[in-house]
Amino acid sequence: VRRFGILSEVADASIMKLVINLLMPCLIFASIVGNPRVKDPANFFVAPLAGFAATCASMLLCLLLAKYVFRFKGLQDGPAQSTFAVATGLQNYGYIAIPVLAKVFEGDLLGILMLHNMGVELAIWSVGVVIYSGRLSKGSFKKLLNGPTFAVLISMALNGLNLDVYVPQVASSAISQLGQCAIPVGLLLIGATVYDYCGRPEFSLK
């Protein structure tokens, strides 16, 4: 689609905003609201805690490996080691995990994954920022104030107050259908971006 001009670079920013601020929140809402697994108090606390702890541990482990084990030429300075730690320590917790989980396991588990991903986001914008830049600023946590975060909070509030049963069927159906577009549209955008980078001389395989 990028090669034949169907998806131009001009549209990338708008599509990204669409995915983050509409499609992904719809997927989160449809996965959490009314989900009996998410209503379990244990899952409510354990899932985000597991995401936060696992992500922090993997980034810190990669930082130790970069500093004391992988003494390659490109990993001998601090910025390179920090970049390696954050990039390598992060697992793909969205665009691969979501479709695999939805295909292999029951749909109810998708809501648990969304809570887990909240913990991952918190780890990225706290410990990840400290590893990468060496300091933590107020602006880092502002990154958490986005569509997916608000979708989780609103969905959990509806569940906690037992208001999920009052969500109109026509609304929940429309939200669910929009949510199903999140991963395919996001993957299209990722593929177009990869195509752009593959065309640059520094990424040439020749």
Side-chain angles (χ1 to χ4, degrees):
V1 294
R2 178 72 100 211
R3 172 66 179 83
F4 293 102
I6 299 173
L7 177 59
S8 67
E9 294 184 37
V10 178
D12 286 358
S14 295
I15 293 176
M16 178 61 73
K17 290 179 182 178
L18 179 70
V19 171
I20 294 177
N21 296 312
L22 177 64
L23 301 183
M24 190 58 73
C26 285
L27 180 61
I28 293 171
F29 188 92
S31 304
I32 293 179
V33 173
N35 188 332
R37 290 180 182 266
V38 177
K39 287 187 175 183
D40 185 343
N43 288 331
F44 176 73
F45 292 104
V46 172
L49 180 61
F52 179 84
T55 303
C56 290
S58 61
M59 289 191 294
L60 291 173
L61 175 61
C62 289
L63 182 62
L64 290 174
L65 291 174
K67 286 182 175 295
Y68 303 109
V69 179
F70 299 150
R71 304 300 297 170
F72 304 128
K73 182 178 180 181
L75 290 178
Q76 292 181 355
D77 62 323
Q81 294 169 353
S82 299
T83 302
F84 173 84
V86 175
T88 310
L90 287 176
Q91 74 276 21
N92 190 313
Y93 58 97
Y95 289 105
I96 290 179
I98 291 174
V100 168
L101 185 144
K103 184 68 175 180
V104 177
F105 300 99
E106 299 177 6
D108 290 349
L109 287 178
L110 191 55
I112 304 299
L113 178 63
M114 296 305 179
L115 294 181
H116 165 274
N117 290 353
M118 279 293 299
V120 176
E121 290 283 344
L122 180 59
I124 293 172
W125 297 112
S126 57
V127 177
V129 170
V130 172
I131 292 175
Y132 184 75
S133 64
R135 61 186 180 87
L136 187 63
S137 64
K138 294 181 180 179
S140 301
F141 289 104
K142 288 183 179 180
K143 299 291 185 180
L144 285 170
L145 301 178
N146 52 37
T149 299
F150 289 126
V152 170
L153 296 177
I154 293 172
S155 300
M156 293 305 299
L158 290 174
N159 282 351
L161 297 173
N162 293 319
L163 296 177
D164 53 292
V165 296
Y166 296 106
V167 178
Q169 178 62 33
V170 63
S172 61
S173 177
I175 290 172
S176 177
Q177 292 177 25
L178 284 171
Q180 295 301 313
C181 301
I183 302 303
V185 174
L187 287 174
L188 279 173
L189 184 58
I190 292 172
T193 304
V194 171
Y195 177 85
D196 293 340
Y197 276 96
C198 287
R200 297 183 179 183
E202 60 267 32
F203 290 92
S204 177
L205 297 179
K206 295 181 181 180

